[in-house]
Amino acid sequence: MGLTNTPSDLLPGTLELLILKALVRGSKHGYGIVEHLRLASDDVLTVGESALYPALQRLLQNDCVKAEWGTSENNRRARYYTLTAAGRRQLAAEQTEFDRMVGAIQRVLKTS
Amino acid sequence: MKTFLRGLLHLLRRSRHDADLREEIETHRALRQAALEQDGLDPFSAEWASRRAMGNVTLAVEDAREVWIWRALDQLWQDIRIAIRGLRKNPVFTFVTIATLALGIGANTALFSIFNGLILRPLPVREPARLALLLDGSWSYLVWSEIKARDKDLFDGAFAWANETFDLSRGGQSDFVEAAHVSGRYFELLGVSAVRGRVLNEADDTAAMPDGPVAVISHRFWRSHFAGAEDVIGRQITLQRKSFTIVGVLPPGFFGVDVGRMTDVMLTFAAEPLMRGEESILPAAGASWLNIVARRKPGQTLEQANAALRGVQPQIRAATMGGISPARVERYLTRPLTLVDAATGRSPLRSRFEKPLIAMVAAVALLLLVACTNIASLLMARVLARHRELSVRMALGGSRGRLARLLFTESLIVAIAGAALGLLFAQWSGALLVSQLSTWEGDVSLPLAIDWRVLGFSVALACASAIVAGVAPALGLRSVAAGEALKDAGRGLTGDRRFAVRGTLVAAQIAISLMLVTAAGLFLRSFTSLARMPLGFVPEPLLIAEVDLQASGGPIEQRGERAERLRAAAASAPGVKAAALSRVSLLTGGGWWANRVAIDDGAMPVEDVSANRLWRNATSPGWFDTMGTPLISGRDFTDADRAGAPLVAIVNPAFVKRYQLGQQPLGRTIRIGLPNGERRYEIVGIAGDSVYTSQHDGMMATMYVPLAQIAPLGGTVILTINADRSRRVAVQREVAAALARTEPATSFVFRTFDQFIDARVTQERLIAMLSTFFGALALLLAGIGLYGIVAQAVRSRESEIGLRLALGAQPGGIVRLVFHRVGILVAIGLTIGFAASYWAAKFVGPLLFHIDSRDPATFAAAAGVLVAAGLLAAWLPARRAARLDPARVLREG
C-alpha cells in the first residue's frame, strides 16, 4: 500500500463514511481510527494522515463529530473524536447511498 | 453564514489551531512508532520509519487548514501586504496621491458636513419627526394665544418662541447675548430637560410668575459666563437692565429650534412686558415676531394636523383682527394656515445658503473627479513602469484577475488613507467655512460633529474614488502579456500605445479644470463688481453707535431730547468732525418702509406688495453732510422742523423717477397711508441717491423725514459719527466716554460700515473664495497630470529622440514634437471644457451679480490660464528631451 490513500483513490465521500463507521463503537483518536480501518479491512485500507486530518476537520465543521482532548495509551495528549447525533444520521444516509452506488457499479461490471 | 463566521473565527485563532493539529499529528506518529517497536523494530528505526510514513506534517497541517480558511480572505491579506510594500517603495507617488485624495475627499466631506448640519440633521429633541412648523414665519402673540387655547385638542401641543438679542450690561457699551422668549410648554413639548435646576414651565409663562422673573441658560453660556459654577441656580442675570433668576442649565448641544443660531438665554413670553414696558408688543396685532411649532399626536399625519388647524382658522383669525389695516384683511383671512415638517428645525440660513451650497457641492464633486483622474493616470503610469514585474508575475502563474485585484487593492488603500486624512481636513476646513458665515448680525454655528451620515458619505466617496481610479489601470493590464518581459528586454522605439488612455484622462482633466477655473473667474468678477458698487455715501470715515434708549427706562416722550443731548456730546468729543442721528442705519438688510404712497392728489393705492417698496428714514439736521451724501437741490432739515411744525420730507432722484415727479419735485406733497387716514409731507429737498438695504438692490427710492417730527421715537437710535479713519480707535474711546458722561445708564454698541458691507456680501465672498481655491487646486492637479504624462512619453521615447538628434534633428524640432502632442490634448480638453462650461453657465447665473454667466472675457481668460499651465507642464520635459545627449542614449539604448 502507498503512503496515502488520498480521497481521490476512493469514491468521493467514502473516507468520511469510513471514519463515521469507525466511530460507531465509541470515541477514538486519529491513530485509533487508522488502526481500526486497517484491521477491519484486513490490511487493505491504510489511510494516510494527509487525508485523514482534513477529512476529520470537514466532519468537525459539519458537526458530524465532536472532538475532546484526552490522554492516549502512551500518555500523550490526543484528540478523541465522538460521533454526534447528526453524524449518526449522516452515516445512515451515506451508508444507504454507498450500498446503492456499489450495487450499481457491480451491476455495470457484471453486464459487460 | 455560520460556516463563514466559524471560518473567520478560525482565522483569528489560527496559530492556536495549527499548534493543536501539530500536536495531534505528533501523537499519531508516536503511537505508530510504539506499534512498530512492538513489532520488533529498534526505537531509532521505528521513529525514522514512523516519520517517513507520516510524510510531510506541515503539508498535512496546511491541507487541514485549507478546509477552514476562507481562502479569499487569506489572499486579500496577502494583496494588502503586497500593495503596502509596493506603495512604500514609491513614497513620492504615494504621498501625492494620498494628499490629492485627502484634499478632494476632505473638501467634499467638509461641504457635506455643513449640508448635514444645516439641512439633514434632526433636532436633538424627543421624536423630532412629529414636529411641524406653522409656515410663513412670524406671527403675532394674539394668533399664538388663540392657538395655545386649543393646542391640546388639535395636537399633542404647540409651542412658540421669538428670538431676541438682549444686553447683559448695566450701561455703557452693550454686551449682547442671543436669547429667546419661549412659551410655557416649549421644553415639555420638545422633551428637553435641564442638566442643572429645572426648565421653564407653564406657570412661569403666566402674569403671576410664582418664582418671579426667571431664565434658563445654555450649557455653553453656563461654562463661559459662570465658569460652570455648581451654585449657578438661583443667581441673577441682567437682561436689558432687568434682573432674572437663573433656574436651570440646558443640556449641552441644545440651542433651540433655529439651526445655526446658538440661543444662550431663554425666558418666557410673560417676561416680555417687563423689558419693553408700555411698548410691549404682546397685545399688538400688527407685530409679526414669533414662530409656532406643533407636536403632532402619535399617528397624526401632516394632512390631518393641517385639517385640524384649518378647522379653527376662522375663529383664530376673527379673534386677532383688531388693528390690521382694512387693506390687509382680505389677504389675512383667505390665506390658509399651513404646517410643514420641522424634524430638522428651522433656519433662515437654509434659503440663503442652499443655492450656493449646491453650487459648491457640484464644484467639489468635479474637483474630486479631477483628483481621481490624476490618481488613475498615476496608477496607470505605475502599471506601465511595472510592466516587467507584472509580466513576470503572470508568467509565474498569477491570474490576470488576481493581478487586477492587486492593483485595485492599491487604489483602495490609497483611497482609505485619503479619506481618513480627508476627514481631519474636513473637520478643520468645515469649521473655518462656518466661521466665515458669522457677521456682526450674529454668530453662525453649526453642529459639524462626524455622525453616521458624514462618515458614511466619506466612506462612499472613498469607495467611489477607488473604483474610478482603479478601473483605468486594471484596463491597462490587458496590454500586459505573460512572459513578454522575458522575451523582450524593453527596448523599442515606440512605446506609447497606452498614451491614448492616459491622454483621454488628461484631456478630461483639462476640460473639468476649465469649468472650475471659468466658474472661479465668474464668481470673482461678480464679487468685485459687487464690492465696487457705488454706495451713494462715503463709508470710510464713518463710525456708527447704536444707542439703546429703551432699556435704561425713562418716559418715551423724552427720548428725542435725550438722543439730541447724546449727539451733541459725541459731536464735541475730540477728533469728531460731525455727528448726526437717524432712525435706520443703511446696509443692514432691512429698514423702515411704506407700502401706501400717493403724490399730490393721486389715488391712494390699496397696498404695494412689490419688493420695490418705498424706503424711509428719519434724520437729524446735518445727517447728509455726515454721511457724505450730496444735497442736490432744496434744503436740509433744520432745527425749525420740529414736532408741531409743518411735516417736510427730502427725497432722492430714484424717488423722483419712481413717482414721476418730473422737473419740479420741490414743493410737491407726499401722502403716506395709515391704518386710519393719511399723513402729508411737503418735499423741501433732493439728496443724492444711495443704497439702502443692500448693495444687491442698488439705489432705492427713499424718503427722509426729520427725526424731531417722529413721535414716539423708537427704542434705538443710530448715531453716525464722521472722524478720521486712522484715528478711529481713539475717537471710539472718546465718544464712549462722552456718551457715558452724559447718560451713564444708557448702553450703546459701535459698528462700522466695513461690518455692514461685509455682512451683505458674505455669500458672494464665500463663493468667490471657495471657487478660487477649487479652481486653483484643479489647475494644479491638471498641471501635474499633464506633466506626468508628457514626462513619461518623453522618457519612453528617449531612444527615438536620441536617434533623431543623432541624425541631425534640431533641439527646437524636438520641442515642437513634444508640444505638438500636448497641444492636441489641451485643444481637445479646452473644446470639451468650453462646451460643458457653456452648458453649466445656466445654473451659475442666479448666483452672479452684474455679470453675464457666459461672459466672453472670463471664458477667454480661463482658457488662457489653462493654456499657460499646459505650456509650463510641457515645457519642463520638452526642455529635457531637447538636451538629451544622443551618444549616451544610443549607447545605453
Side-chain angles (χ1 to χ4, degrees):
Chain A
M1 286 304 295
L3 283 176
T4 52
N5 268 320
T6 55
S8 59
D9 287 336
L10 301 162
L11 282 170
T14 313
L15 181 57
E16 279 89 342
L17 172 63
L18 293 176
I19 293 173
L20 290 176
K21 184 71 187 170
L23 294 175
V24 167
R25 294 278 181 80
S27 54
K28 287 185 174 59
H29 49 61
Y31 182 73
I33 295 170
V34 173
E35 281 301 293
H36 176 88
L37 293 179
R38 191 174 62 82
L39 294 173
S41 67
D42 295 332
D43 285 349
V44 174
L45 292 173
T46 309
V47 179
E49 295 72 27
S50 51
L52 174 74
Y53 287 99
L56 278 172
Q57 296 292 332
R58 273 193 294 277
L59 288 172
L60 271 176
Q61 207 175 15
N62 296 334
D63 288 328
C64 289
V65 299
K66 61 176 197 269
E68 272 161 357
W69 286 99
T71 314
S72 70
E73 306 87 77
N74 60 350
N75 270 331
R76 278 176 170 274
R77 226 161 74 90
R79 200 141 48 167
Y80 281 83
Y81 296 89
T82 316
L83 213 53
T84 62
R88 282 180 203 284
R89 277 197 301 278
Q90 180 78 10
L91 175 62
E94 285 203 3
Q95 198 155 6
T96 319
E97 176 65 20
F98 185 80
D99 288 346
R100 206 171 63 81
M101 189 61 85
V102 170
I105 291 173
Q106 278 177 345
R107 276 196 298 282
V108 170
L109 292 176
K110 277 174 190 158
T111 50
S112 57
Chain B
M1 191 62 206
K2 197 176 151 204
T3 328
F4 170 76
L5 280 181
R6 277 167 48 165
L8 213 62
L9 206 65
H10 169 84
L11 195 74
L12 296 176
R13 298 196 306 225
R14 174 166 165 173
S15 55
R16 156 95 193 285
H17 194 271
D18 283 2
D20 280 356
L21 257 175
R22 272 176 202 286
E23 184 175 358
E24 186 176 10
I25 291 174
E26 177 57 23
T27 305
H28 190 125
R29 191 202 57 77
L31 285 166
R32 183 190 290 271
Q33 180 183 344
L36 288 170
E37 280 177 35
Q38 263 179 10
D39 288 352
L41 251 72
D42 63 287
F44 179 77
S45 315
E47 187 187 343
W48 204 79
S50 68
R51 282 203 192 286
R52 200 178 41 186
M54 288 298 293
N56 189 338
V57 175
T58 307
L59 192 67
V61 170
E62 278 192 351
D63 280 351
R65 189 167 74 204
E66 280 279 286
V67 174
W68 286 95
I69 294 174
W70 185 36
R71 196 183 164 119
L73 210 62
D74 206 27
Q75 288 189 349
L76 178 71
W77 177 231
Q78 203 182 350
D79 280 351
I80 291 175
R81 279 195 341 250
I82 295 177
I84 288 179
R85 207 188 307 150
L87 288 173
R88 277 173 58 181
K89 262 195 283 183
N90 266 301
V92 175
F93 162 81
T94 310
F95 174 77
V96 169
T97 43
I98 291 182
T100 307
L101 262 187
L103 281 176
I105 293 182
N108 273 282
T109 309
L111 279 178
F112 180 78
S113 66
I114 292 176
F115 192 77
N116 180 39
L118 187 61
I119 293 168
L120 297 180
R121 188 174 170 271
L123 289 175
V125 301
R126 174 168 52 88
E127 291 183 71
R130 273 166 52 201
L131 299 179
L133 176 74
L134 186 55
L135 259 199
D136 269 341
S138 306
W139 299 94
S140 68
Y141 192 77
L142 295 180
V143 171
W144 163 238
S145 302
E146 291 303 313
I147 292 178
K148 184 169 74 171
R150 300 170 172 84
D151 74 328
K152 283 172 188 157
D153 302 332
L154 300 173
F155 323 105
D156 249 13
F159 59 86
W161 78 101
N163 293 329
E164 299 279 351
T165 304
F166 290 141
D167 183 6
L168 293 168
S169 79
R170 293 193 163 86
Q173 297 227 20
S174 302
D175 179 11
F176 290 121
V177 63
E178 304 272 305
H181 289 292
V182 302
S183 64
R185 294 180 72 204
Y186 179 88
F187 293 104
E188 176 202 330
L189 286 169
L190 281 175
V192 170
S193 45
V195 291
R196 291 283 187 292
R198 64 172 178 88
V199 291
L200 301 174
N201 57 35
E202 270 187 284
D204 294 324
D205 198 18
T206 57
M209 287 198 262
D211 290 345
V214 293
V216 292
I217 59 175
S218 73
H219 196 267
R220 178 179 85 145
F221 191 79
W222 176 48
R223 283 287 170 82
S224 62
H225 283 68
F226 294 93
E230 287 300 326
D231 63 344
V232 67
I233 306 302
R235 279 165 73 166
Q236 300 292 308
I237 182 172
T238 305
L239 302 167
Q240 302 287 94
R241 307 298 191 293
K242 305 291 184 300
S243 213
F244 287 81
T245 309
I246 295 172
V247 293
V249 177
L250 297 173
F254 180 80
F255 293 101
V257 182
D258 293 280
V259 177
R261 183 185 203 260
M262 290 208 164
T263 308
D264 280 323
V265 177
M266 300 197 191
L267 26 147
T268 57
F269 280 107
E272 196 265 356
L274 286 181
M275 306 178 120
R276 288 215 180 88
E278 53 189 301
E279 286 169 287
S280 166
I281 51 177
L282 291 190
S288 304
W289 60 301
L290 52 82
N291 295 292
I292 299 172
V293 161
R295 178 175 282 283
R296 284 177 278 154
K297 291 175 186 164
Q300 188 182 32
T301 64
L302 211 50
E303 288 72 34
Q304 288 164 344
N306 264 319
L309 186 61
R310 284 171 195 172
V312 296
Q313 175 164 359
Q315 290 98 298
I316 293 175
R317 293 213 146 142
T320 57
M321 287 279 293
I324 296 173
S325 67
R328 287 179 63 190
V329 165
E330 199 176 340
R331 215 152 50 91
Y332 189 70
L333 271 181
T334 49
R335 207 168 37 182
L337 296 173
T338 306
L339 289 164
V340 292
D341 181 47
T344 56
R346 185 196 89 97
S347 182
L349 292 173
R350 280 186 196 148
S351 49
R352 216 172 120 206
F353 287 107
E354 198 177 18
K355 263 192 202 151
L357 207 52
I358 289 171
M360 288 303 104
V361 165
V364 284
L366 285 178
L367 183 72
L368 186 62
L369 205 57
V370 175
C372 285
T373 329
N374 230 12
I375 291 163
S377 190
L378 283 167
L379 282 171
M380 183 92 182
R382 253 165 69 70
V383 170
L384 301 184
R386 289 164 68 190
H387 208 242
R388 292 180 73 140
E389 175 206 334
L390 294 173
S391 177
V392 170
R393 277 186 193 273
M394 225 179 261
L396 290 178
S399 74
R400 219 174 270 268
R402 183 78 197 274
L403 284 185
R405 216 169 64 201
L406 187 66
L407 293 176
F408 229 86
T409 313
E410 252 180 28
S411 50
L412 192 65
I413 288 174
V414 168
I416 288 172
L421 277 178
L423 270 180
L424 291 179
F425 175 67
Q427 282 282 292
W428 171 79
S429 58
L432 186 76
L433 275 182
V434 171
S435 72
Q436 291 290 322
L437 298 179
S438 295
T439 64
W440 67 274
E441 291 168 302
D443 284 340
V444 171
S445 156
L446 288 174
L448 293 180
I450 299 181
D451 58 10
W452 61 269
R453 275 179 296 267
V454 175
L455 204 62
F457 178 80
S458 54
V459 167
L461 272 189
C463 291
S465 333
I467 290 168
V468 172
V471 161
L475 288 179
L477 255 189
R478 285 212 310 238
S479 66
V480 179
E484 184 189 302
L486 305 178
K487 289 178 287 188
D488 166 33
R491 183 172 183 149
L493 287 184
T494 49
D496 55 353
R497 183 159 37 114
R498 294 140 206 123
F499 188 85
V501 182
R502 293 192 69 199
T504 315
L505 291 178
V506 169
Q509 270 186 335
I510 291 174
I512 299 173
S513 304
L514 179 67
M515 288 177 77
L516 287 175
V517 171
T518 308
L522 287 172
F523 287 131
L524 266 180
R525 289 195 58 184
S526 160
F527 175 64
T528 27
S529 73
L530 190 59
R532 285 194 193 140
M533 269 287 289
L535 300 172
F537 62 94
V538 186
E540 286 82 11
L542 300 182
L543 181 66
I544 302 280
E546 239 179 76
V547 183
D548 184 348
L549 296 170
Q550 184 185 48
S552 48
I556 294 170
E557 317 77 67
Q558 285 176 16
R559 282 183 189 160
E561 295 158 39
R562 286 171 58 203
E564 175 50 31
R565 256 202 317 276
L566 290 167
R567 187 203 65 80
S572 58
V576 174
K577 289 181 189 158
L581 296 167
S582 62
R583 182 172 185 189
V584 180
S585 172
L586 304 184
L587 292 179
T588 54
W592 177 33
W593 72 88
N595 41 23
R596 298 182 63 217
V597 181
I599 303 298
D600 295 339
D601 299 321
M604 180 64 70
V606 175
E607 188 176 7
D608 179 9
V609 290
S610 71
N612 196 16
R613 42 167 77 115
L614 171 64
W615 292 97
R616 297 198 270 175
N617 204 347
T619 61
S620 70
W623 185 80
F624 294 102
D625 218 25
T626 310
M627 291 291 286
T629 302
L631 206 61
I632 298 171
S633 62
R635 64 172 177 91
D636 190 2
F637 301 129
T638 65
D639 291 335
D641 299 315
R642 68 176 84 82
L647 298 178
V648 291
I650 294 174
V651 297
N652 61 4
F655 181 100
V656 172
K657 192 170 163 223
R658 167 131 189 238
Y659 294 99
Q660 296 163 357
L661 298 186
Q663 296 303 313
Q664 221 11 282
L666 292 183
R668 298 181 69 173
T669 308
I670 306 171
R671 288 155 51 220
I672 302 289
L674 303 174
N676 37 8
E678 59 181 47
R679 201 168 280 156
R680 303 167 75 94
Y681 300 84
E682 187 198 343
I683 299 177
V684 296
I686 310 285
D689 275 336
S690 74
V691 295
Y692 189 99
T693 44
S694 131
Q695 298 95 304
H696 302 80
D697 302 329
M699 305 298 184
M700 307 297 274
T702 314
M703 165 186 173
Y704 304 89
V705 297
L707 191 71
Q709 290 183 343
I710 300 269
L713 199 55
T716 27
V717 68
I718 306 296
L719 175 58
T720 306
I721 293 148
N722 190 318
D724 222 341
R725 190 188 173 91
S726 57
R727 297 186 51 204
R728 182 174 284 168
V729 179
V731 168
Q732 187 170 321
R733 203 169 43 234
E734 295 290 350
V735 171
L739 294 179
R741 267 198 308 276
T742 316
E743 278 198 20
T746 297
S747 64
F748 47 87
V749 61
F750 287 107
R751 316 259 191 219
T752 64
F753 269 102
D754 297 340
Q755 290 173 313
F756 293 156
I757 291 170
D758 262 11
R760 298 275 75 78
V761 298
T762 313
Q763 181 187 319
E764 284 79 7
R765 194 187 52 228
L766 201 63
I767 296 182
M769 204 173 80
L770 280 180
S771 60
T772 308
F773 176 69
F774 295 149
L777 210 55
L779 197 63
L780 182 70
L781 291 178
I784 292 175
L786 196 59
Y787 169 80
I789 182 179
V790 175
Q792 168 88 23
V794 165
R795 211 170 306 124
S796 67
R797 292 176 69 182
E798 258 182 13
S799 35
E800 177 200 339
I801 292 169
L803 200 61
R804 280 173 191 260
L805 283 171
L807 292 175
Q810 293 299 309
I814 300 298
V815 170
R816 252 200 311 282
L817 185 77
V818 175
F819 269 51
H820 178 65
R821 284 226 115 128
V822 174
I824 292 174
L825 284 185
V826 173
I828 294 173
L830 288 185
T831 313
I832 299 172
F834 258 132
S837 307
Y838 195 80
W839 170 77
K842 63 180 174 189
F843 302 110
V844 176
L847 295 171
L848 295 178
F849 180 78
H850 280 195
I851 180 171
D852 182 25
S853 60
R854 287 168 182 157
D855 179 52
T858 311
F859 271 56
V865 168
L866 268 162
V867 168
L871 285 180
L872 183 67
W875 180 67
L876 297 171
R879 195 183 54 158
R880 211 174 77 85
R883 285 187 184 171
L884 276 179
D885 176 5
R888 187 184 59 81
V889 172
L890 292 179
R891 201 166 47 238
E892 292 173 3

